[in-house]
Each structure stands twice: as C-alpha cells, then as structure tokens.
C-alpha cells in the first residue's frame, strides 16, 4: 500500500546536494530529520522546519525512510555500518554516486541486514532539485520505490529500472560518460576556433544547434547497433577515416592538442585496419563493448 505524502524522512549528508533534497522533503510536508558528520550544516534547514539529529543513531531512528546523500561508497559504509541494526526494517534510498558494482554490494549488504534498499543516480545539479529537468534514475527494491514515489517525486522526476540495484547507476554513469565526451568535444572545437581568433562564446552559438541536430540521429544509431547489421551505402568507416585524418591534421596545424580527438581517430583507424572500412560508423560499438 502506498504511504501518504507525509512519510517521515531522514536525510544523511548535508553537502550541496543533501541540503537541497532535505529542503524539498521538508517543503513538501514531510517530517524531515537531518544529520551531517560535521556539525553546523543544518542551521538553515532547522530554521525552515527540519529537525536536527544529534547523532547518526538518532537520525536513523527518527524516520521510516532514510535517504543517504554522502560523498562516495566508502562514506556510506562508514556512516551506516555502526547503525546497521537500527536500520533493519526501514527503507534506505541511497542517492550517493556509486558505481554499479558498489550499488549491488550495498544492496546485498542491506538485504543481509533486513534493510529494504533502493539505489538512485541523480541526473541534476543541486539548483535543479524540485524543478523541471531534474531526474533521478532508481533501481533496487520496487516496493520502496512504489511506496515512496510521491515523496521521491518532490526531488525530481523519478524513473525505476527494476530490481538490479546496479542498473540505475549504470544508466547514470553511461549518461555522464556521454556528457563528458560531449563537453570535451566542445573544448576541442573551441580551441580550434580560438586559433582562428574566434571566441568560445561565438563558437557555442554554432555548437548548440549543431549538436542538437546531430543528437536527433541517436535513435537510428541505437536501432542499427541493436540490429547488429552494419552494412551501409553512405559514410562508411573509410569515409569517416578520411574526415578524421583531415580534422586531426587541421587540429595539429592549429596547435591544438589531440587528447580528445586522437582516440576517436585511433578507434576508426583500427576498424579500417581490421577490415571493417565498408561498414557504418556504428560498427565502432563492437570495438568498445
Ligand atoms: N553536486 C552535484 O552536482 C552532484 C550531482 C549528481 C550527484 N552527485 C552526488 O551526490 C553526492 C553528494 O554530493 P554533494 O554535492 O552533496 O557533495 P558535497 O557537497 O561534497 O558533500 C558531501 C557530503 O558527504 C559527507 N561525507 C563525506 N565523507 C564522509 C564520511 N566519511 N562520513 C560521513 N559523511 C561524509 C560530507 O560531510 P562533511 O564533510 O560535511 O562532514 C557532506 O555532507 C555525491 O555522491 C555526488 O557524487 C552530486
């Protein structure tokens, strides 16, 4: 049965993200208890209606739903191991960034101790919490997700990917990898443009519509990869190799380092050397996985 929207919530960790999450629960009408390793970070939250816990034990015992927003996997264990018996029978939502294997380890640890565990990857920066555009990718205990969905939706759009506690983190890290490579590509392009006396701001004006238009092709890339059928009549890997060779040469001429574009060229070169030159760019997926 779904709980009311006023489930009691404890937020562990009042860094930049934890503070925003606690404020969102509190504003949403949930009795909210907060705890942080280093004292003094709860002042504003308490003034706004939250309850400060004097100890981790008090924090855990205060609520049905415990939300951990700590630095990393090690800090989750460091914080929760000493109170594992008090956590038994409660629901734990871990929004700390952990790798998929670390999320699975935490889920197994929780199960051994009678704790219901839901893992989440936050796709937002703190200022986006509670606003459109923020999302959190959950996996692990379906009942924790279903029973607390209204509370979780106060933070961000909530998506659930199944009982494998590592799957939300896999989505999280895959999306972040995609994001970092996109930003690194922008840095490379901006460095090329700077060599021609054009500002990064002017380049950004061109880059946004271009990247937006190119991103529309991703569903077709996905379809081709999933089919495993890489034959193509257009823009095969040998064609892409010629383009990358030219871009790398232009980058060298402009004095731009090859740290970002070089590995892309190497990837395509290897595909062509291995006899896949007539196949589509999507064939590179097979080289990576
Ligand atoms: N901030 C962001 O933009 C990103 C967005 C995507 C998700 N991340 C992840 O969220 C986790 C928390 O991030 P944060 O921004 O709140 O991080 P900090 O402001 O650095 O606060 C860290 C809190 O963790 C506490 N802490 C650190 N080590 C320990 C420990 N060994 N035991 C107990 N608590 C610990 C720290 O406490 P203190 O230093 O004040 O005592 C802060 O409360 C994180 O996984 C991001 O990757 C945020």
């Amino acid at each position: 049965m779904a709980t009311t929207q006023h489930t009691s919530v404890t937020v562990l960790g009042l860094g930049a993200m934890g503070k925003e999450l606690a404020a969102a629960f509190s504003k949403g009408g949930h009795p909210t208890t907060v705890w942080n390793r280093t004292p003094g970070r709860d002042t504003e939250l308490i003034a706004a209606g939250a309850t400060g816990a004097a100890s981790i034990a008090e924090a855990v015992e205060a609520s049905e739903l415990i939300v951990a927003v700590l630095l990393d996997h090690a800090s989750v264990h460091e914080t929760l191991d000493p109170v594992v018996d008090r956590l038994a029978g409660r629901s734990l939502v871990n929004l700390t960034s952990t790798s998929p294997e670390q999320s699975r380890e935490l889920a197994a640890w929780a199960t051994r101790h009678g704790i219901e565990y839901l893992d989440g990857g936050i796709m937002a920066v703190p200022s986006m919490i509670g606003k459109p555009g923020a999302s959190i990718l959950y996996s692990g205990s379906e009942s924790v997700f279903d029973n607390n969905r209204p509370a979780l939706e106060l933070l961000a759009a909530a998506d659930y990917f199944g009982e494998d506690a590592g799957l939300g983190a896999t989505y999280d890290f895959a999306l972040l990898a995609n994001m970092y490579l996109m930003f690194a590509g922008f840095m490379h392009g901006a460095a090329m443009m700077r060599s021609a006396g054009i500002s990064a701001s002017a380049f950004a004006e061109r880059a946004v519509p271009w990247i937006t238009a190119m991103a529309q092709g991703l569903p077709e890339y996905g379809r081709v990869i999933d089919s495993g059928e890489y034959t193509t009549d257009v823009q095969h890997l040998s064609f892409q190799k010629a383009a990358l060779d030219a871009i790398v040469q232009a980058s060298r001429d402009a004095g731009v380092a090859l740290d970002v574009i070089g590995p892309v060229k190497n990837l395509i070169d290897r595909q062509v050397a291995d006899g896949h030159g007539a196949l589509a760019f999507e064939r590179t997926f097979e080289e990576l996985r």
Side-chain angles (χ1 to χ4, degrees), residues 114-272:
I115 304 159
E116 280 210 272
Y117 182 87
L118 180 67
D119 200 88
I122 304 174
M123 306 310 298
V125 295
S127 61
M128 291 166 68
I129 293 303
K131 300 189 180 122
S135 69
I136 303 184
L137 311 178
Y138 295 96
S139 63
S141 166
E142 187 167 14
S143 60
V144 173
F145 181 77
D146 287 344
N147 292 343
N148 296 286
R149 191 167 187 160
L152 299 177
E153 285 178 338
L154 291 170
L155 311 178
D159 292 309
Y160 176 74
F161 294 98
E163 295 278 344
D164 171 6
L167 193 52
T170 306
Y171 266 107
D172 180 7
F173 283 20
L175 288 167
L176 289 177
N178 198 158
M179 178 197 79
Y180 276 115
L181 289 168
M182 186 268 290
F183 284 141
F186 177 76
M187 304 308 161
H188 183 90
M192 290 180 78
M193 295 310 295
R194 174 64 65 86
S195 78
I198 305 297
S199 71
S201 302
F203 178 55
E205 279 179 31
R206 295 277 165 190
V208 170
W210 171 246
I211 295 299
T212 305
M214 288 300 96
Q216 307 314 306
L218 293 180
E220 178 59 12
Y221 275 36
R223 194 196 61 72
V224 169
I225 290 167
D226 290 341
S227 76
E229 173 52 62
Y230 297 113
T231 52
T232 182
D233 295 333
V234 290
Q235 302 202 336
H236 44 71
L237 279 160
S238 294
F239 170 91
Q240 306 283 359
K241 175 175 165 34
L244 261 293
D245 286 348
I247 294 166
V248 164
Q249 187 57 52
S251 303
R252 279 206 184 95
D253 294 346
V256 176
L258 301 181
D259 301 68
V260 174
I261 201 78
V264 182
K265 174 176 156 45
N266 294 342
L267 180 63
I268 290 175
D269 284 353
R270 273 208 312 279
Q271 293 283 291
V272 173

Side-chain angles (χ1 to χ4, degrees), residues 14-17 36-38 41 70-71 75 78-79 97 122 124 126:
L14 301 177
M17 186 56 84
N36 194 64
R37 176 184 61 173
T38 306
R41 285 190 144 185
L70 300 163
L71 183 65
S75 62
E78 206 170 303
T79 302
S97 294
I122 304 174

Side-chain angles (χ1 to χ4, degrees), residues 24-48:
F25 284 129
S26 185
K27 267 187 233 154
H30 292 266
T32 303
T33 299
V34 292
W35 173 88
N36 194 64
R37 176 184 61 173
T38 306
R41 285 190 144 185
D42 56 5
T43 315
E44 281 176 30
L45 288 162
I46 291 170

